[in-house]
Amino acid sequence: MYLLGIDVGTSSIKVAVVEIDTQQCIATAQYPDQETEIKAVKNGWAEQSPAEWWNNVQQAILKLNAAKGFDPKEIKAIGIAYQMHGLVVVDQSQNVLRDSIIWCDSRAVALGEGAFKAIGHEKSLSHLLNSPGNFTASKLAWVKENEPEIYQQIDKIMLPGDFIAMKLTGNITTSIPALSEGIFWDFKNDEISSDLMQYYGFDEKLIPEVKPLFSSHGTLTNEIAGLLGLTAGIPVSYKSGDQPNNALSLNVFKPGEVAATAGTSGVIYGVSDELTYDQQSRVNTFAHVTYTKEKKHTGVLLCINGTGSMYRWAKHNFAPNATYPALNKLSATSPIGSKGLKVLPFGNGAERMLNNKFTGGQLIGIDLNLHQQADIFRAVQEGIAFSFRYGLDILRENGMQPKVIRAGRANLFLSDVFAQTFVDVTGIPVELYENDGSVGAALGAGIGAGIFKNAEDAFTQHRAIKTLSPQNSEEYESIYQEWKEILIKLL
C-alpha cells in the first residue's frame, strides 16, 4: 500500500509515492520540466495561475503513474505541500476569480504596515506573532481596495494547497496553521483574529471550515479518480505550507529542532514551545504542523526570497545552456571568496528580514580582467549562504541557538560549494537527508489518515545520509563581515 504526496512549488509540481511499510519513496515525477512562469505585470508584483497549477498536478500524477513501478489503485491517502502565503479566491461555484497573488508579491506591504499601526505593534505581535505585513490577509485587503468588483464575488479564500485539495475533493477547508500563515489567527485568544478582520472589513464567512491539519479534508471524487487512475473515496488527509512540511519531512517536530531549505526561496525553520516573536517582525512565527490549543508548538521562520531564484537568474543570463550540476562543479574551481566578487541576492521582492525593503540583487566588485564564470557562480552561492548567516543571527537574537540543522539533499544543497559554505559561515553542522517536500507530504498523509500512529511512527526508517561540519569558518568570517558591511550601507 502507498501514499501520494503533492508539492505545489513555485517552479513546478513534484509528486512522490511512498510505500507505507518501508516509509521509502519508490517513485517521483515533476511537471513541467521548465520552470513555471511568474507573472510580473508591475515591479514588485508576482502572480501565478491556479488553473495552471491544477493542470500541472494532473500531468505530474499521470507521469508518475506511467512509470509503472506501483499500482495507483493501492494509494490510500493524499497529502499536499504548497508554496506559502498565496491568495486564491473563488465564487460560490468554485470558479477562480483572478490569478493567485503569490508569496513574493510586494504590493500589499503598505496595507500591512497600516494594519500593524492601527491594531498596535505590541498587540499585533503578541496576538498574531507577526506584523500583518505582506501576508495573505493583506493581499486580500489589496483586492478589496483595488478590485472591488472581484472582491464582491468572493465566496471563499484559500491558500494554494487548499485550492488543489478543492479540485481533488470538491471540499474547501483550512486549519489553524494555515490561518496563522495568512496572519488570520489570534494565538492568545485561540480564534480567528477579530482585530484583523474588523480593521480590514472582512466577513468571517470568507474563511473556510477549520479542520485539524492531520484529518480528512475531503475524499477523492469519482470524476477525478477516473481521470488520474486513483481510487475514489481516498482522503486528502494532510495540507501544509512548504516550510512546515519541509520540517516534517526532516522529522523536525520537537522544540529546539531546526530545518533548512534552499529552493526558490531559502528558509531556516525552528520549532518552539513558546509564543515568540521578533519585535521588528523580521522573522515570523506560525503554528507548526503539530500545533494544538493544548500543545502550542510554533515554527519560527526566517525567509529569504532571493536564493534559488538568484541562482536561476544567474544561470539564465550567464550560462543558459549549462546544467545546474555542471555549474555546481564549475563554481568549485573558484577559490573561497570568489576573488573578491560579492553578490547580494535580494532581487525577488521585499525581504522581511531586511524590514520589508527591496534592495534589488547586486553584483559588486566585478573586475573585467579577473573574474570569469566560475567566480560569478561561486559568488552567487556564497552570497546566498551569507544571507542565511545574516538571518540566522536575527534568529539568535530571538533566543534560537541551533546545535545542528537538518536539510534535504535537494536544490542548492546539491551543490558541495553551497552546502559547505553554509556550514562554514554559520558555524553549525548540517545533517543531510534524502526526503523532500513531496515525500514529506506523503508521510503527512499517512499520519492524517491514521495509517501511522503518530508523527514519530512515520519516521522510524529516517537516517541522515551525510553530516557536514565546519572547515573554513575562520577564513569565511572576515569575508562575511565585508559582505555584511556592504549590505548595511545599502540599507
Side-chain angles (χ1 to χ4, degrees):
M1 297 189 295
Y2 309 104
L3 301 165
L4 173 63
I6 302 170
D7 187 1
V8 184
T10 310
S11 300
S12 66
I13 305 296
K14 188 171 183 183
V15 292
V17 169
V18 169
E19 189 174 47
I20 292 172
D21 288 344
T22 64
Q23 302 170 4
Q24 299 302 305
C25 176
I26 63 164
T28 65
Q30 186 169 314
Y31 191 90
D33 294 329
Q34 72 278 10
E35 295 182 4
T36 304
E37 177 190 7
I38 295 177
K39 303 174 187 177
V41 178
K42 294 184 180 180
N43 187 35
W45 288 25
E47 298 184 358
Q48 288 185 326
S49 164
E52 186 173 7
W53 294 336
W54 173 231
N55 176 69
N56 292 346
V57 165
Q58 295 176 81
Q59 294 303 318
I61 292 172
L62 292 172
K63 184 177 177 181
L64 186 74
N65 293 350
K68 297 184 178 178
F70 64 97
D71 182 358
K73 295 288 188 181
E74 291 299 317
I75 290 172
K76 300 302 179 185
I78 301 172
I80 302 171
Y82 58 86
Q83 50 171 295
M84 297 174 72
H85 314 305
L87 172 69
V88 181
V89 292
V90 297
D91 64 17
Q92 288 184 337
S93 299
Q94 298 187 351
N95 297 311
V96 175
L97 296 170
R98 70 174 326 281
D99 280 347
S100 174
I101 303 174
I102 66 170
W103 59 276
C104 54
D105 187 290
S106 303
R107 76 185 72 178
V109 168
L111 288 168
E113 289 175 348
F116 195 32
K117 182 177 180 181
I119 295 171
H121 288 200
E122 185 57 37
K123 186 173 187 182
S124 183
L125 292 172
S126 61
H127 284 254
L128 304 174
L129 306 186
N130 304 280
S131 159
N134 194 38
F135 296 105
T136 316
S138 299
K139 290 173 167 61
L140 179 62
W142 185 93
V143 174
K144 182 173 183 280
E145 184 172 301
N146 293 276
E147 299 174 345
E149 71 287 352
I150 290 176
Y151 183 82
Q152 290 168 8
Q153 299 176 63
I154 298 174
D155 179 59
K156 290 290 182 285
I157 64 169
M158 288 179 281
L159 296 163
D162 302 326
F163 169 76
I164 297 302
M166 180 196 80
K167 297 300 288 186
L168 291 167
T169 69
N171 286 357
I172 304 176
T173 68
T174 188
S175 64
I176 291 175
L179 290 170
S180 76
E181 170 192 331
I183 318 301
F184 289 101
W185 189 252
D186 185 324
F187 283 87
K188 276 201 169 180
N189 294 329
D190 279 324
E191 63 185 15
I192 294 168
S193 170
S194 58
D195 290 322
L196 183 133
M197 299 296 281
Q198 289 170 14
Y199 174 77
Y200 279 142
F202 296 156
D203 191 323
E204 201 163 310
K205 291 178 181 178
L206 295 174
I207 305 294
E209 178 188 6
V210 182
K211 304 223 16 173
L213 185 142
F214 294 108
S215 68
S216 176
H217 294 274
T219 57
L220 195 63
T221 66
N222 290 328
E223 178 187 1
I224 300 303
L227 284 172
L228 300 179
L230 304 176
T231 301
I234 62 173
V236 172
S237 50
Y238 170 80
K239 295 186 298 182
S240 173
D242 52 9
Q243 300 311 324
N245 176 73
N246 181 63
L248 174 142
S249 74
L250 296 167
N251 197 21
V252 170
F253 291 105
K254 299 175 183 176
E257 295 180 332
V258 178
T261 183
T264 303
S265 63
V267 167
I268 297 177
Y269 183 98
V271 179
S272 174
D273 55 3
E274 298 178 4
L275 299 182
T276 60
Y277 53 87
D278 177 53
Q279 285 290 342
Q280 298 179 51
S281 207
R282 296 166 297 174
V283 298
N284 301 104
T285 304
F286 307 114
H288 191 36
V289 294
T290 52
Y291 180 97
T292 65
K293 292 182 180 182
E294 296 72 37
K295 188 182 290 186
K296 297 188 176 183
H297 284 180
T298 59
V300 182
L301 185 153
L302 161 80
C303 180
I304 307 157
N305 293 352
T307 51
S309 55
M310 181 73 205
Y311 203 34
R312 174 194 55 78
W313 179 89
K315 176 187 180 300
H316 177 76
N317 286 282
F318 295 114
N321 297 320
T323 64
Y324 284 113
L327 293 177
N328 294 342
K329 188 175 180 180
L330 177 66
S331 65
T333 66
S334 179
I336 287 175
S338 308
K339 301 176 187 172
L341 185 62
K342 291 182 173 59
V343 169
L344 300 180
F346 306 123
N348 191 27
E351 293 283 359
R352 292 198 289 278
M353 76 170 185
L354 304 182
N355 298 106
N356 275 325
K357 292 182 180 177
F358 178 71
T359 66
Q362 310 274 332
L363 279 74
I364 299 162
I366 298 172
D367 186 324
L368 302 179
N369 300 310
L370 175 65
H371 292 126
Q372 298 178 355
Q373 264 192 349
D375 307 312
I376 291 171
F377 285 100
R378 184 174 190 115
V380 168
Q381 294 182 64
E382 288 182 335
I384 295 166
F386 293 159
S387 67
F388 271 101
R389 161 66 186 277
Y390 185 88
L392 181 62
D393 286 347
I394 295 173
L395 290 173
R396 286 166 168 152
E397 288 176 28
N398 284 274
M400 187 174 291
Q401 303 293 335
K403 299 292 188 287
V404 66
I405 293 175
R406 296 176 189 166
R409 187 158 173 77
N411 302 312
L412 277 165
F413 278 105
L414 288 169
S415 167
D416 292 338
V417 167
F418 172 78
Q420 190 61 52
T421 302
F422 179 98
V423 171
D424 288 340
V425 77
T426 61
I428 300 173
V430 168
E431 294 177 352
L432 292 174
Y433 294 83
E434 287 291 0
N435 283 8
D436 65 11
S438 58
V439 174
L443 292 170
I447 299 168
I451 292 168
F452 300 121
K453 298 175 189 174
N454 50 44
E456 291 75 15
D457 190 43
F459 292 90
T460 56
Q461 308 299 318
H462 196 64
R463 302 289 185 275
I465 58 172
K466 189 175 185 180
T467 299
L468 300 175
S469 300
Q471 296 177 4
N472 309 293
S473 293
E474 188 173 341
E475 187 173 0
Y476 262 119
E477 184 62 25
S478 60
I479 300 170
Y480 168 72
Q481 292 300 334
E482 292 171 3
W483 180 93
K484 180 180 176 183
E485 186 176 346
I486 292 169
L487 175 60
I488 297 301
K489 285 181 178 177
L490 182 65
L491 293 173

